[in-house]
Amino acid sequence: MIWIVGAGLMAEEYIKVLKSLDEEFLVIGRSEESIKRLIKMYNCNAFHGGINKFLKESRPLPTKVINTVGIDSLTEVTISLIKAGINDILIEKPGFGNAIEINELISLSREYDAQLFIAYNRRYYQSVIEAKKIISEDGGVISFCFEFTEWSHIIQDLQKSKIEHQNWFLGNSSHVIDTAFFLCGKPKEISCNKTGGLEWHSTASVFTGSGLSESGALFSYHSNWESAGRWSIDILTKKRR
């Protein structure tokens, strides 16, 4: 049995996947309205009232849990799951609401011998798998660059919590950054610059940087949320680009 905690759009995506895999699962959400909607749409087993209420009842623990709640509740829910004795948890990106919370999650996971995974699913796109194969065939990456420009004119009007907007870099842009370093090697040396800021993302709006990856490839990145652009990763081997 797999539990999906949360009843939003991400929970729906996991429902589709688990149904296609013919896996047994249960959705646990807070809102009765959201749970009723999921039951009607997907004919699935679901519970409303929240994970803490659900855990108080005597139930067999699942083999795995997928935590899909909003970014502001990710850490709180994961802590409840770990302390309940659940030791295999997939957490929606970025895995926490505030970067300092990751230390608490690491410490608690070690104390309870729990495995925590963060859902950076771009690693498993067919295009990424093929790129990894090509890189290996060509003898590795010589250099790469990437861009993670976000469309501010659209994002600023999305109905998101303040913490989700203010952590958009971690919660969304980190997808392309993770994919770039997954393919080309983690940073061994890196120099980072940022400037500007937006009403919905006050810490910065323009990002640039460069460095050297563990694979020996030079890299650079650029992102300007006040101008035009989008996500991209550009990889150069000795044979191909």
Side-chain angles (χ1 to χ4, degrees):
M1 168 69 76
I2 299 171
W3 290 357
I4 299 174
V5 183
L9 293 176
M10 287 311 306
E12 284 192 48
E13 296 303 314
Y14 283 107
I15 288 171
K16 294 173 188 175
V17 171
L18 294 178
K19 285 181 78 72
S20 70
L21 294 173
D22 200 27
E23 291 282 354
E24 186 181 4
F25 65 91
L26 172 70
V27 182
I28 305 161
R30 286 180 294 197
S31 164
E32 182 177 4
E33 181 182 350
S34 295
I35 289 299
K36 284 182 175 179
R37 180 179 61 84
L38 292 180
I39 292 172
K40 182 178 180 180
M41 288 178 65
Y42 300 102
N43 189 29
C44 59
N45 293 323
F47 173 90
H48 69 85
I51 186 63
N52 289 327
K53 180 180 178 181
F54 190 78
L55 287 170
K56 285 178 182 178
E57 301 185 17
S58 179
R59 301 174 185 274
L61 293 179
T63 53
K64 302 177 187 295
V65 172
I66 303 170
N67 182 0
T68 75
V69 300
I71 189 173
D72 48 342
S73 301
L74 279 172
T75 299
E76 176 190 350
V77 168
T78 299
I79 289 172
S80 294
L81 294 169
I82 293 172
K83 289 184 175 180
I86 298 164
N87 58 15
D88 197 343
I89 305 168
L90 176 66
I91 315 169
E92 255 307 304
K93 62 181 190 333
F96 42 84
N98 190 306
I100 61 173
E101 295 173 346
I102 194 170
N103 294 320
E104 182 180 7
L105 290 177
I106 290 171
S107 176
L108 201 64
S109 66
R110 288 172 178 169
E111 180 183 347
Y112 284 81
D113 195 27
Q115 294 188 93
L116 305 182
F117 303 90
I118 298 178
Y120 282 104
N121 63 325
R122 267 64 171 181
R123 294 185 178 198
Y124 305 98
Y125 279 14
Q126 193 59 45
S127 56
V128 174
I129 293 170
E130 183 65 20
K132 200 167 183 65
K133 177 185 173 184
I134 291 171
I135 289 167
S136 178
E137 289 174 353
D138 289 1
V141 179
I142 298 174
S143 64
F144 63 102
C145 57
F146 57 92
E147 180 180 354
F148 50 91
T149 293
E150 300 284 0
W151 290 352
S152 180
H153 62 292
I154 294 175
I155 297 167
Q156 66 185 0
D157 296 325
L158 296 178
Q159 296 301 307
K160 301 288 184 180
S161 67
K162 182 177 179 180
I163 190 170
E164 193 166 358
H165 264 139
Q166 290 294 331
N167 285 277
W168 199 267
F169 172 87
L170 279 176
N172 204 57
S173 310
S174 56
H175 257 316
V176 70
I177 299 166
D178 174 77
T179 306
F181 290 134
F182 172 71
L183 284 169
C184 307
K186 295 177 183 178
K188 183 179 180 181
E189 301 171 10
I190 188 168
S191 174
C192 304
N193 304 287
K194 65 178 183 178
T195 188
L198 301 164
E199 184 177 348
W200 59 273
H201 192 271
S202 59
T203 54
S205 55
V206 182
F207 311 80
T208 66
S210 61
L212 176 71
S213 77
E214 290 179 348
S215 67
L218 291 171
F219 69 86
S220 64
Y221 66 86
H222 177 266
S223 180
N224 188 336
W225 298 7
E226 297 184 43
S227 188
R230 61 186 310 147
W231 289 5
S232 67
I233 303 173
D234 200 10
I235 301 168
L236 289 85
T237 71
K238 288 184 178 180
K239 297 180 181 180
R240 281 174 274 201
R241 179 171 186 155

